[in-house]
Amino acid sequence: MKKQNTFIVAAAVTAAVIAAFWLILAAPGYTGNEINMTRGVTSQSVINYQLHMIILWICVIIGVIVFSAMFVSIVLHRKSKGHEAAQFTHSTKAEIVWTVIPVLILIGMAIPATTALINMEVAPETEMTIKITGFQWRWKYEYIEDEIQFISSLDSNSNAARRLASGTDPEDVDHYLREVDKPLVLPTETKIKFLITADDVIHSWWVPALGWKRDAVPGFINEAWTEIMEPGVYRGQCAELCGKDHGFMPIVLNVLPHKEYDAWVNEQKQLMAHEQANVDRLWSRDELMELGENVYATQCATCHQADGLGLAPAFPALAGSEVSKGPIGVNIDVVLHGRDGTAMQAWGNMLSETDIAAALTYTRNAFGNETGDVIQPQTIARIKNG
Amino acid sequence: MTVDMTQQDSISNKRKRAVRTAWVLAVIAALIFVAFILSGVLGS
Amino acid sequence: MSIESTHSHDNDAHPAAPGDHHDHKPTGFFNRWLFTTNHKDIGTLYLVFALIMFFIGGGMAMVIRAELFMPGLQLVEPDFFNQMTTMHALVMVFGAVMPAWVGFANWMIPLMIGAPDMALPRMNNWSFWILPFAFTMLLSTLFMDSGGPAAGWTLYPPLSLQGGQSFAFVVFAIHMMGISSIMGSINVIATILNMRAPGMTLLRMPLFVWTWLITAYLLIAVMPVLAGAVTMLLTDHFFGTSFFNAAGGGDPVMFQHIFWFFGHPEVYIMILPAFGVVSEIIPTFARKPLFGYAAMVFATASIAFLSFIVWAHHMFTVGMPLMGELFFMYATMLIAVPTGVKVFNWVSTMWKGSMTFETPMLFAIGFVVLFTIGGLSGLMLAIASVDLQYHDTYFVVAHFHYVLVPGAVFALMAGTYYWLPKWTGHMYSETWGKIHFWVSTISVNILFFPQHYLGLAGMPRRIPDYSTQFADFNMISSIGGFIFGASQLIFVGVIVHCVYKSRKAAQGLVWEGGKGLEWTLSSPPPYHSFNTPPLIDPTTISHPEEAH
Ligand code: HEM
Ligand SMILES: [Cu+2]
Ligand SMILES: [Cu+2]
């Protein structure tokens, strides 16, 4: 008698814990970590959220019915209560019922699921286009119409704090691992087309507030679209395993109202003109070293490490390296065009000529390399443009 | 109730037929392997 | 039919005195284990191997959960973390769950169909002994310069091709596992089709035999596909082909299609035998025949068939044509129907039974509930449009762990407790078995349930570190993980005690409600199971005739 009771209590506690977990999902007052899918800020995300909730509830109801039947049986039909086993082996009627009803439920689910998918995949006429390219381990954004482009990487505070045993508490870092140096700036209420691809391995571009993710596949271009209804900052990150720093390539959207967005575009264009002036002038060694240290820390140190010693075997040391201390031409070629089949990418497509010149000057003089070389942005520009 | 053919068989007869079944299955597995490699070769 | 009649049958069919079975057993450790062609010894080897792998893979899981205990990297570098997630999956899938099921097949199929042994005993020896070599090779890559594989168990190129020289060892190890599985399946099919006792017609076979028959066909169909896929990776990596290299005219997404054409049936390879075991256990402890035997067989076959046409539901985000996505969504949703039939039939088997709750039954009930939760989240994932949110998040991790851990692994444990007395001739400790069940069931939910929330809130899978908004549930999940890991030591304790220490002898018919030929033999059964085919009469099979 006692044994039975412990069993019933234990089973009921387990069932209650599981049910409570599920129900918290729907509780509006919960204030801890987020536990449900975001409603997001696009028609696609809202549709997906609603569809998710409908199907979640259908599943909960099915679960409750099936588990209740089972639990009733467990309580009533036990030998210790003297219940005699019936010997029926099938019931055609019941079996037809529980084949047909699920089919009907599935059809009921398939209809909204189909319209949602069509809305997701069939893009309307779009007003602007952004090309997104995934690299190990950063994103490149190109505004096709406005000819703006830049690289977006994990911001330096997170980057320092995320080192093994860095001693920094992630709680002290603003938006730990969800902050970038340059966010993707987009206008509200504009139909935007995304062309998504990758340079090295497969990545996946995901901002939950937009309601979808899309794989970035090298050699292929995927299309997706969005129209963001509310200004704000939305965060996401790469969703397809892409190597060691897969967890460290966040995505940040800064969505602005039209006017502010236009102002931002103008500002970028001026910066680009300024950048051209930078390439044209001659830089001092100190200027290049200072900028180079910065570029190295944000772009190169992930693999070659802050002390230039690399991480054997995949990531070679630059300190004392034959390339960093060898002929300048070879060094420039490796940095501009990358090394096939390794994580070393073609930085010529990603960084400005000034940044590359600075990084080269830095690596050829830091870590005890001391070649004394000074590489000018002009030189890089000349080599790059043939 | 049906009585199936295996009734009269000795164990060694059963094993002989089992070996035949095994060869057929092995050949099928090999063919599937080759077919998928070929699909890769022709596809690229 | 009464219990007594089964008992008397036991005695009729086997006048052999207990102890007889020592007669033809080979002597000496090497003769007994290395060169064995005996289905029971090979079954034991498989089961012990799987248990060891379960702990190696589990150790890796502990590393993963420890690193994810809180935000920030505390223990391992990201690349090593990726090696752990990759190896954990490969070891658990190919080293623990699949070999464990082959172990069950070896032990039980001849006993259940009234055969003396498996049809091809020498090949059986080979199928097993390949495995230790394959896994030594696979695990040794962790100690090589270029490290173990770190691109996930799915091995997607181009990332997997960035691995160093050790990749060749991984591919070769997978080939060996594949060959082992194929040989094992050939043996299972050859045995079931040819070695049944007279009167053991196909539609009288126990459900475990049926599910293994269908599983074996799945294995023969898809293991060569995996072998083809990794062979193409190998030549891409080392011999300059470009099957999957876009720059050379290949297509990286093609790999995903081939992999998942293997991969989706693979998940059913791990779960169909579980369906079989649960369908044996529930009737025994409900003292009532399995409800809807024919429907169960038919549902198993339809699941197997459908599993070949749903693979791209793992690829909704790669950019398929709309029509393709719709097709794979509908086909995937359809799998819920036969899966539902199974669950309803198990519940109906319990309904109006006369149930008792020994450890095997507890694990079987745990299986039905928690597997169903995993099946329901699978249904959610099938909705292509919403999967663009769920995909590659912890929601997927929660889904497949629900179907695989309290699903497949619980069924393995249920089966172990169910047949352990038959295998060893001793009873295990019921008290410790129950403790093992309750601690495992509670902790497995603490471990995996919060992962649903993490995924919905936006945490991707396969990351070593995360932003602070995911901290709470990761910590809860890790705590559950540590408890679950530790509680498996109880399992080992119970088994070791049962084999070496237990004084309580098991009867031939271990469980009052047990039906089926295995219970007509002594416990442990004679070394050669049925040297003379047993007589099949309806009282000794696990379900009455469907046709009256
Ligand atoms: C009703 C039945 C099921 C349905 C509808 C279903 C559906 C799905 C879907 C759509 C995915 C892909 C999710 C994504 O990556 O976005 C998935 C993943 C997965 N499912 Fe299921 N599933 C079912 C049952 C099972 C069973 C029985 C198993 C294994 C025993 C299983 C194991 C897995 C695994 C291992 C993955 C993830 C593979 C990976 O990406 O590494 N599923 N399932
Ligand atoms: Cu990534
Ligand atoms: Cu699948």
Side-chain angles (χ1 to χ4, degrees), chain A residues 21-22 33 48 52 77 79 83 85-87 89 95 98 114 121 136 165 176 206 208 213 215 222 240 244, chain C residues 73 162 289 292 295 317-318 325 330 348 352-355 385 389-392 449 453 465 467 469 472 512:
Chain A
F21 265 138
W22 276 96
N33 284 179
N48 269 351
H52 159 71
H77 307 143
K79 191 184 177 201
H83 194 273
Q87 293 296 317
T89 60
E95 288 174 81
W98 64 51
T114 305
E121 300 287 1
Q136 284 172 317
Y176 178 62
W206 183 34
K213 66 178 66 71
D215 289 0
N222 270 327
E240 176 68 53
K244 83 176 173 63
Chain C
L73 290 179
Q162 287 184 347
T317 60
V318 298
E325 292 187 331
Y330 299 147
S348 311
K352 298 212 160 159
S354 175
M355 281 189 272
S385 153
Q389 290 278 46
Y390 302 135
H391 178 69
D392 264 336
F449 208 92
Y453 302 154
D465 192 7
S467 66
Q469 63 189 315
D472 296 359
E512 184 186 39

Side-chain angles (χ1 to χ4, degrees), chain C residues 257-275:
Chain C
H257 282 291
I258 302 176
F259 181 88
W260 288 115
F261 186 82
F262 147 80
H264 188 82
E266 169 66 25
V267 305
Y268 283 98
I269 287 164
M270 293 189 276
I271 205 70
L272 292 185
F275 291 168

Side-chain angles (χ1 to χ4, degrees), chain C residues 25-286:
Chain C
K25 208 180 270 181
T27 46
F29 185 80
F30 282 100
N31 269 342
R32 167 85 190 271
W33 297 110
L34 204 57
F35 302 118
T36 180
T37 55
N38 180 276
H39 75 101
K40 301 190 188 73
D41 286 348
I42 293 175
T44 305
L45 286 172
Y46 267 111
L47 290 171
V48 171
F49 177 81
L51 193 62
I52 294 170
M53 285 296 143
F54 185 45
F55 276 90
I56 293 178
M60 295 171 180
M62 294 299 109
V63 174
I64 295 170
R65 278 321 320 170
E67 180 54 68
L68 292 175
F69 187 72
M70 42 185 201
L73 290 179
Q74 290 86 25
L75 302 173
V76 296
E77 290 288 354
D79 188 57
F80 186 72
F81 182 91
N82 291 345
Q83 294 178 32
M84 285 293 105
T85 53
T86 306
M87 279 291 197
H88 162 72
L90 290 172
V91 167
M92 285 303 197
V93 169
F94 295 102
V97 176
M98 290 169 66
W101 285 131
V102 183
F104 272 86
N106 262 296
W107 251 105
M108 299 317 299
I109 289 175
L111 297 189
M112 288 176 139
I113 62 173
D117 202 310
M118 295 294 277
L120 308 155
R122 268 171 295 191
M123 186 167 85
N124 209 4
N125 174 293
W126 270 91
S127 333
F128 172 76
W129 278 109
I130 286 179
L131 281 181
F133 293 97
F135 278 89
T136 308
M137 192 145 75
L138 180 67
L139 292 169
S140 70
T141 60
L142 285 174
F143 304 99
M144 293 180 185
D145 267 355
S146 48
W153 81 288
T154 49
L155 300 173
Y156 282 4
L159 183 63
S160 58
L161 300 177
Q162 287 184 347
Q165 304 296 318
S166 66
F167 188 66
F169 291 82
V170 176
V171 169
F172 197 48
I174 293 177
H175 275 147
M176 286 169 56
M177 294 166 205
I179 289 171
S180 160
S181 291
I182 290 173
M183 295 202 305
S185 325
I186 288 178
N187 214 340
V188 166
I189 297 176
T191 305
I192 297 175
L193 292 190
N194 299 293
M195 305 293 283
R196 281 169 291 134
M200 178 55 80
T201 55
L202 285 177
L203 278 175
R204 282 180 180 172
M205 295 193 312
L207 223 79
F208 177 70
V209 179
W210 258 114
T211 52
W212 239 115
L213 179 64
I214 292 171
T215 302
Y217 277 112
L218 286 182
L219 275 165
I220 288 176
V222 301
M223 291 312 286
V225 177
L226 175 66
V230 296
T231 304
M232 290 186 255
L233 284 181
L234 184 81
T235 60
D236 270 12
H237 191 312
F238 293 102
F239 304 109
T241 56
S242 38
F243 289 114
F244 307 127
N245 174 3
D251 178 355
V253 175
M254 180 55 102
F255 176 85
Q256 300 186 15
H257 282 291
I258 302 176
F259 181 88
W260 288 115
F261 186 82
F262 147 80
H264 188 82
E266 169 66 25
V267 305
Y268 283 98
I269 287 164
M270 293 189 276
I271 205 70
L272 292 185
F275 291 168
V277 166
V278 169
S279 305
E280 301 299 326
I281 292 175
I282 292 180
T284 296
F285 294 96

